[in-house]
Amino acid sequence: MLPPRSVPSERAPGVPEPEELWEAEMERLRCSGVPVRGLPYAMMDKRLIWQLREPAGVQTLRWQRWQRRRQTVERRLREAAQRLTRGLGLWEAALYEIGGLFGTGIRSYFTFLRFLLLLNLLSLLLTASFVLLPLAWLRPPDPGPALNLTLQCPGSRQSQPGVLRFHNQLWHVLTGRAFTNTYLFYGAYRVGPESSSAYSIRLAYLLSPLACLLLCFCGTLRRMVKGLPQKTLLGQGYQAPLSAKVFSSWDFCIRVQEAAIIKKHEISNEFKVELEEGRRFQLMQQQTRAQKACHLLSYLRVNILIGLLVVGAISAIFWATKYSQDNKEESLFLLLQYLPPGVIALVNFLGPLLFTFLVQLENYPPNTEVNLTLMWCVVLKLASLGMFSFSLGQTILCIGRDKTSCESYGYNACDYQCWENSVGEELYKLSIFNFLLTVAFAFLVTLPRRLLVDQFSGRFWAWLEREEFLVPKNVLDIVAGQTVTWMGLFYCPLLPLLNSVFLFLSFYIKKYTLLKNSRASSRPFRASSSTFFFQLVLLLGLLLAAVPLGYVVSSIHSSWDCGLFTNYSAPWQVVPELVALGLPPIGQRALHYLGSHAFSFPLLIMLSLVLTVCISQTQANARAIHRLRKQLVWQVQEKWHLVEDLSRLLPEPGPSDSPGPKSPASQASRPRSFCPGFPCPGSPGARAPPPGPSVVDAAGLRSTCPGPHGTPASARRFRFPSVAEL
């Protein structure tokens, strides 16, 4: 409330009257530019301040009222839209429950899964808007019958007619053969010449995958850099004070018992994360140089062994893909269809187990063990997909091979007359196999294991226990599936639709597995660090998908008898043709200049200067933040010196100050600071410190505040309790 207008009381000479103080405060509020909404006053007082700030002119008053009403309506509509978005958000209640029961680290995995679902829906929307709808609405003219080419293939292998009897409708669906003539694959898109239509389907089909990759890159990069400013401000060695979480974590608006239980679990998980990070930080500070050197040598030995295993796994994937493609005429072709996905899944299943076994032999700390295993799992997952893509390119596009059919047509036209469909089918099978593996592992491995562990008792079943829900492993699985989807944007344009369905079902499968069949990870971690790691791995997968796509679009000859680019040496050749048809000579010269070296080199120099300025500004901001933090500590220390000087000047209480006998404990418990029993940041400890090592509190600073019973806080050693003690 505002101060009263008059208070009847006697005042000393020279002290202003309450009415004068009230008028001065009203004048200050009237002239202040602080919004009325942000002032700490009651609504009645805010109306008074608003009336004082009203201008005198009637016309200006009407204009300002209209502006104020418009801003108020816009703000209320924006807040209502935000509340509606939060209320109708996908899986909000499930994410809240998972975050409360298992912590923000596991919740970040499900949030990441929802983010990937939104990316796939956005990619599908772009493809449907710029390719499918114009193709159905404009009805471009029929390009005519496909070219009937006579291929000169010496010793070409023809598929045996008896192979078809093994095929059934389900197998056609699993291999993609049932959708060969649909818009799911590249070969079904056919249009006439570019001059016969005002809208270029070819250009839209070519630019849609590139636009999808660009939008996914921007969205992923935005989510990845969201936590970087906080990390830069706080620094690496920052430890949050536990007292802040103790006194400010509870939500006093909770009235439901279920919400209270979830909130308790959430606070407990936050404490576990903080204490575990503090314990790891202390262990790192206690290492000697000899221990660090031994750990470095053991790192090198383990990394060399794991690197050899990764090379062997990649070689197995290469030969499996090559054997599957070179033996298409065999009677076991049905089983060979899923040989490359099966080998990739087997490698990605056995690889982490071997990595964990080798790392555990060295007796590393838990944090180091998990990070080292995770790093090699990322390398194995992405390298397996890269080798699968390279082996397909070597077999179909003759990359690195000398073959007669590739010299004439630019690809292996004898075995793959529509090679884009063949690549799309391989990626389709890989996506299908990954989802089927997820379903089978959830209901055929994790569920029976939980039932057996709950049903039987004994030492073996206690050792087996429920499966641990490993967030990094699950993240790598969905990142691999998303990378396959990005790799197939050009060959299988509707693959994002299929992956969206898989992600939607995977959310409920993983949620059921987590709540019913699994136990939470024994190593808690912070959601901000895990989110940064997720986005970084996703960016690596995006790069792995973009490089082959860019090479194919710009350099590889299209199929002669299927698809949109049958008459082009490369899909990108449609861009110069459209530029020549639709732009005047001035526009063509401008585009030619933008693509020349005369424009590239100045642009590169300008970007280098901008990057240098940004880095310099970032470093200057970091130095300023460091100076401000040091200045804050100095100010606290200066105030502590003043408090100590004042305490020395104050006379000690004599025996006549208070009646009754005096005990040493009562004199020792005389408070000499403003924070008894709590850590005091910036306390300098001017007097001689007690013997023994210095004590660091939860905030990482020395404390000399006396305890509640006269014992200095510096004499009580602070120890981070382990997660098991909680």
Side-chain angles (χ1 to χ4, degrees):
M1 294 290 292
L2 290 174
R5 192 174 185 87
S6 62
V7 179
S9 61
E10 297 181 357
R11 294 283 175 180
V15 177
E17 294 293 333
E19 186 174 355
E20 297 178 359
L21 292 175
W22 189 85
E23 293 178 354
E25 180 68 15
M26 289 294 100
E27 182 66 22
R28 185 187 68 82
L29 292 174
R30 187 184 67 84
C31 299
S32 176
V34 180
V36 179
R37 188 182 183 186
L39 295 176
Y41 295 119
M43 185 60 65
M44 182 175 58
D45 299 330
K46 289 183 179 181
R47 290 194 186 97
L48 177 60
I49 298 172
W50 180 77
Q51 293 177 0
L52 292 175
R53 291 184 179 182
E54 287 293 335
V58 179
Q59 185 176 1
T60 308
L61 179 61
R62 290 178 179 176
W63 170 254
Q64 288 190 355
R65 284 182 177 177
W66 182 82
Q67 289 281 354
R68 192 178 297 112
R69 290 174 181 173
R70 184 180 61 84
Q71 294 176 0
T72 303
V73 171
E74 290 179 356
R75 185 184 68 251
R76 291 178 178 176
L77 289 177
R78 185 166 54 252
E79 293 175 353
Q82 292 177 357
R83 289 194 300 269
L84 183 62
T85 304
R86 287 194 297 266
L88 299 179
L90 187 62
W91 303 323
E92 285 293 338
L95 292 175
Y96 176 76
E97 180 183 3
I98 293 172
L101 295 178
F102 301 98
T104 56
I106 294 182
R107 177 185 174 179
S108 62
Y109 161 73
F110 290 92
T111 307
F112 180 67
L113 194 147
R114 182 178 64 175
F115 172 69
L116 291 183
L117 177 60
L118 295 179
L119 287 184
N120 283 275
L121 292 178
L122 179 61
S123 302
L124 178 63
L125 180 62
L126 286 176
T127 304
S129 301
F130 294 100
V131 179
L132 295 179
L133 291 180
L135 197 62
W137 179 263
L138 297 178
R139 296 185 180 275
D142 187 22
L147 297 177
N148 188 9
L149 300 177
T150 303
L151 302 178
Q152 301 296 330
C153 302
S156 61
R157 298 167 304 198
Q158 300 296 330
S159 299
Q160 298 179 2
V163 174
L164 295 176
R165 68 174 181 268
F166 292 94
H167 288 185
N168 51 33
Q169 193 64 27
L170 178 61
W171 190 256
H172 277 297
V173 172
L174 293 178
T175 57
R177 297 292 180 87
F179 310 106
T180 303
N181 297 323
T182 63
Y183 285 148
L184 180 62
F185 292 105
Y186 164 85
Y189 295 84
R190 302 294 297 272
V191 294
E194 290 297 330
S195 58
S196 61
S197 177
Y199 184 83
S200 176
I201 300 293
R202 289 187 177 89
L203 183 63
Y205 188 92
L206 178 64
L207 296 182
S208 293
L210 303 179
C212 293
L213 293 179
L214 181 60
L215 290 178
C216 293
F217 173 78
C218 294
T220 306
L221 190 64
R222 179 178 176 273
R223 283 176 59 91
M224 186 177 69
V225 303
K226 188 178 295 183
L228 290 181
Q230 182 181 4
K231 185 178 180 181
T232 305
L233 290 174
L234 299 180
Q236 295 289 339
Y238 175 78
Q239 296 291 331
L242 297 179
S243 59
K245 291 186 175 295
V246 170
F247 293 103
S248 61
S249 295
W250 186 254
D251 186 3
F252 291 93
C253 296
I254 294 178
R255 294 293 183 268
V256 183
Q257 182 67 23
E258 182 180 358
I261 294 175
I262 294 177
K263 188 65 178 179
K264 289 179 182 178
H265 284 285
E266 181 180 355
I267 296 174
S268 175
N269 291 325
E270 290 180 0
F271 275 110
K272 290 178 182 179
V273 172
E274 294 290 344
L275 295 175
E276 182 68 19
E277 289 185 354
R279 189 179 65 85
R280 289 200 301 265
F281 182 75
Q282 286 185 350
L283 291 176
M284 292 174 58
Q285 295 297 325
Q286 294 173 359
Q287 288 184 353
T288 61
R289 293 184 178 180
Q291 292 176 346
K292 293 180 180 179
C294 293
H295 286 169
L296 180 60
L297 293 177
S298 62
Y299 288 160
L300 293 177
R301 181 172 62 251
V302 171
N303 287 332
I304 291 174
L305 292 176
I306 296 178
L308 294 177
L309 291 177
V310 170
V311 172
I314 293 174
S315 302
I317 294 172
F318 172 78
W319 290 110
T321 306
K322 186 175 182 301
Y323 184 78
S324 174
Q325 297 296 323
D326 292 343
N327 295 273
K328 299 177 64 175
E329 79 285 356
E330 299 291 339
S331 58
L332 295 178
F333 174 63
L334 298 179
L335 299 179
L336 295 178
Q337 288 273 353
Y338 274 88
L339 180 61
V343 174
I344 292 175
L346 182 63
V347 164
N348 290 322
F349 176 74
L350 296 179
L353 297 180
L354 294 176
F355 298 163
T356 305
F357 176 74
L358 291 176
V359 172
Q360 287 179 351
L361 291 178
E362 300 293 336
N363 293 325
Y364 290 139
N367 184 34
T368 305
E369 176 183 329
V370 172
N371 292 337
L372 187 60
T373 306
L374 183 59
M375 179 188 69
W376 280 109
C377 288
V378 172
V379 173
L380 179 61
K381 183 75 71 171
L382 297 180
S384 62
L385 292 177
M387 181 53 65
F388 175 72
S389 177
F390 175 75
S391 59
L392 283 180
Q394 190 180 44
T395 305
I396 298 176
L397 304 178
C398 302
I399 298 177
R401 297 177 61 182
D402 186 12
K403 207 165 185 178
T404 306
S405 61
C406 296
E407 296 177 359
S408 303
Y409 307 104
Y411 62 96
N412 190 357
C414 295
D415 298 332
Y416 305 94
Q417 296 185 4
C418 187
W419 67 267
E420 290 91 352
N421 276 13
S422 300
V423 175
E425 289 176 3
E426 293 296 330
L427 297 175
Y428 172 86
K429 288 185 292 185
L430 189 58
S431 180
I432 290 286
F433 188 81
N434 288 337
F435 177 71
L436 294 179
L437 192 65
T438 300
V439 175
F441 196 83
F443 294 102
L444 300 180
V445 177
T446 308
L447 179 59
R449 179 177 176 178
R450 191 262 298 178
L451 294 176
L452 292 175
V453 169
D454 293 346
Q455 184 69 24
F456 300 100
S457 61
R459 182 176 301 177
F460 172 76
W461 303 108
W463 170 81
L464 183 62
E465 65 179 350
R466 293 189 178 189
E467 182 189 4
E468 184 178 2
F469 191 87
L470 298 176
V471 174
K473 174 184 176 299
N474 290 279
V475 168
L476 291 180
D477 291 339
I478 61 175
V479 167
Q482 186 61 43
T483 304
V484 171
T485 302
W486 283 332
M487 293 170 64
L489 285 176
F490 183 78
Y491 318 103
C492 190
L494 297 184
L495 195 58
L497 174 62
L498 192 66
N499 196 36
S500 300
V501 176
F502 291 162
L503 290 174
F504 185 82
L505 298 177
S506 297
F507 181 90
Y508 292 99
I509 294 174
K510 293 297 182 180
K511 179 187 174 184
Y512 172 78
T513 303
L514 175 64
L515 296 178
K516 302 296 183 180
N517 302 330
S518 302
R519 57 185 175 90
S521 176
S522 58
R523 175 183 175 266
F525 52 94
R526 196 180 298 272
S528 58
S529 59
S530 61
T531 302
F532 180 82
F533 166 74
F534 298 164
Q535 310 304 325
L536 180 61
V537 176
L538 190 62
L539 280 182
L540 294 177
L542 181 63
L543 180 64
L544 180 63
V547 171
L549 179 60
Y551 175 73
V552 167
V553 167
S554 60
S555 304
I556 300 300
H557 199 291
S558 303
S559 298
W560 288 99
D561 58 347
C562 71
L564 295 170
F565 307 98
T566 54
N567 299 323
Y568 296 90
S569 59
W572 189 256
Q573 294 299 321
V574 71
V575 177
E577 179 182 354
L578 289 175
V579 169
L581 290 176
L583 289 181
I586 298 178
Q588 298 180 22
R589 287 195 296 268
L591 289 180
H592 179 72
Y593 173 74
L594 293 178
S596 63
H597 296 289
F599 177 77
S600 301
F601 286 115
L603 179 63
L604 181 62
I605 294 175
M606 185 181 67
L607 291 178
S608 301
L609 293 176
V610 171
L611 183 61
T612 304
V613 171
C614 292
I615 293 176
S616 302
Q617 185 66 33
T618 303
Q619 295 177 353
N621 293 337
R623 289 193 297 267
I625 292 170
H626 182 67
R627 287 196 299 267
L628 290 174
R629 292 178 64 181
K630 291 180 64 176
Q631 183 179 358
L632 180 61
V633 174
W634 290 339
Q635 290 179 357
V636 173
Q637 291 178 353
E638 182 180 0
K639 292 180 180 179
W640 270 101
H641 283 300
L642 293 176
V643 170
E644 290 185 351
D645 294 340
L646 181 61
S647 64
R648 283 195 297 268
L649 293 176
L650 290 177
E652 293 290 338
S656 59
D657 291 344
S658 59
K662 302 293 182 180
S663 63
S666 62
Q667 294 182 0
S669 61
R670 178 176 180 265
R672 303 183 64 85
S673 69
F674 296 106
C675 54
F678 295 95
C680 304
S683 175
R687 295 179 176 83
S694 61
V695 181
V696 178
D697 63 356
L701 300 171
R702 171 185 284 272
S703 177
T704 57
C705 300
H709 301 291
T711 304
S714 59
R716 301 192 312 275
R717 182 179 298 275
F718 179 83
R719 182 181 66 85
F720 283 102
S722 62
V723 177
E725 293 176 359
L726 294 176

